[in-house]
Amino acid sequence: MKTNLITREGYNQLAAEHDHLWFEKRPEITKIVTWAASLGDRSENADYTFNKRLLRQIDRRVRYLRKRLPELTVVDPHPDQEGKVFFGAWVEIENDAGDIRQFRIVGPDEIYGRNDYISIDAPMARALMKKEMDEEFVVRTPEGNREWWVNHISYQVGGDNPFAVNPSAE
């Protein structure tokens, strides 16, 4: 079962996606479908077939968003969280091999299209909860237990990784 937590940025992004699909994209595609249907034979009308399929995809996504958005709980960072890993934290971790990973712990609805976000439901995120800087923690994987250390924790608001090196700043 998916966790119903989401960051404010994630919620705003899903709400904006809904509004874009419902108020902009759907009316645009509906016009095309209506025009293509007026041409007659729909069985061999590529415009009609393609856009009708696109309309179904839009409607499916809108239905999902309308059901999902009210279920979500927006979680904003709280000053008491500073120094510990909680939902919404940007975290940098390292293991004995020197592998360094940087990511933000977010809700499962936010991870798509981002390789620097992990779901709160992921084993790594669960193992990290309430850990502090320089604290060791163990993640259970199918290959066995893996040890990691917490290098940095940040609650920077927004979608940009605070640990990423900005080449234009050099």
Side-chain angles (χ1 to χ4, degrees):
M1 178 152 179
K2 286 202 278 188
T3 302
N4 288 335
L5 301 179
I6 192 165
T7 63
R8 182 153 315 274
E9 299 90 4
Y11 185 88
N12 291 342
Q13 204 169 16
L14 288 180
E17 178 186 358
H18 170 272
D19 291 349
H20 171 73
L21 289 173
W22 187 250
F23 296 113
E24 295 174 34
K25 192 70 174 172
R26 191 177 193 287
E28 172 189 319
I29 300 302
T30 302
K31 284 180 189 173
I32 295 171
V33 168
T34 303
W35 167 79
S38 73
L39 297 178
D41 185 11
R42 296 177 188 170
S43 63
E44 295 182 23
N45 186 332
D47 279 329
Y48 177 82
T49 306
F50 174 79
N51 287 294
K52 190 70 173 171
R53 185 178 315 123
L54 186 56
L55 195 57
R56 284 193 300 273
Q57 291 170 351
I58 291 169
D59 287 345
R60 188 170 31 256
R61 182 66 178 166
V62 166
R63 275 192 308 276
Y64 172 78
L65 291 171
R66 284 186 174 171
K67 182 179 175 202
R68 187 72 175 140
L69 285 168
E71 296 173 345
L72 296 171
T73 301
V74 175
V75 177
D76 290 314
H78 192 274
D80 293 345
Q81 294 176 325
E82 283 301 319
K84 287 190 175 188
V85 178
F86 288 101
F87 183 83
W90 282 97
V91 184
E92 180 182 276
I93 59 173
E94 185 173 0
N95 65 14
D96 281 338
D99 295 331
I100 295 176
R101 301 218 176 130
Q102 301 168 339
F103 49 80
R104 186 176 189 197
I105 300 172
V106 297
D109 295 283
E110 301 177 77
I111 61 173
Y112 302 102
R114 296 288 304 249
N115 62 2
D116 58 347
Y117 277 13
I118 67 168
S119 171
I120 184 74
D121 298 328
M124 177 70 79
R126 292 287 183 199
L128 267 165
M129 286 296 113
K130 299 182 183 177
K131 299 298 184 262
E132 298 180 13
M133 294 262 294
D134 300 323
E135 191 171 344
E136 181 181 336
F137 66 99
V138 176
V139 179
R140 296 186 202 303
T141 70
E143 295 82 32
N145 292 344
R146 302 286 186 245
E147 291 182 2
W148 293 86
W149 286 267
V150 179
N151 286 343
H152 299 288
I153 304 166
S154 172
Y155 284 94
Q156 173 180 319
V157 176
D160 295 328
N161 183 340
F163 309 123
V165 176
N166 184 354
S168 62
E170 293 176 358

